Amino acid sequence: MADQYRLLNQIEKKRQVLINAVAKEGLNSSLAVQYSQELDDLLNHYDRLFTENVHHSPGSLAQA
C-alpha cells in the first residue's frame, strides 16, 4: 500500500509540474511534451502494478 501511495504522490507532483509548464511555456513546448510523457510513464506504471486484477476479473468492462 505504501508503494501505491508513493506512486500516486509522484503522479500528482508530475501533474502539477506539467500544469505549471503549460501555463508558462505553452501546451506544445518541448518542456510540456517532456513532462506529459513522464506523466504518461507514471500512469502506465501505476496501471500495470495496481489495476491488473481489475482488467482481468470476470465481468469487467475490459472484457466486454
Side-chain angles (χ1 to χ4, degrees):
M1 191 64 143
D3 289 338
Q4 185 176 14
Y5 177 78
R6 184 174 29 245
L7 188 52
L8 286 171
N9 192 34
Q10 289 175 332
I11 289 168
E12 186 55 34
K13 285 181 181 180
K14 186 60 67 175
R15 182 178 288 127
Q16 289 302 318
V17 168
L18 173 59
I19 290 168
N20 291 336
V22 168
K24 291 178 183 176
E25 306 287 332
L27 185 60
N28 294 318
S29 70
S30 60
L31 194 58
V33 171
Q34 175 187 335
Y35 291 150
S36 177
Q37 290 170 343
E38 291 173 5
L39 178 58
D40 285 345
D41 289 342
L42 288 168
L43 290 167
N44 289 334
H45 185 64
Y46 181 90
D47 189 52
R48 283 191 303 274
L49 290 176
F50 301 110
T51 63
E52 182 176 314
N53 292 334
V54 172
H55 293 308
H56 298 293
S57 64
S60 72
L61 293 176
Q63 294 180 355

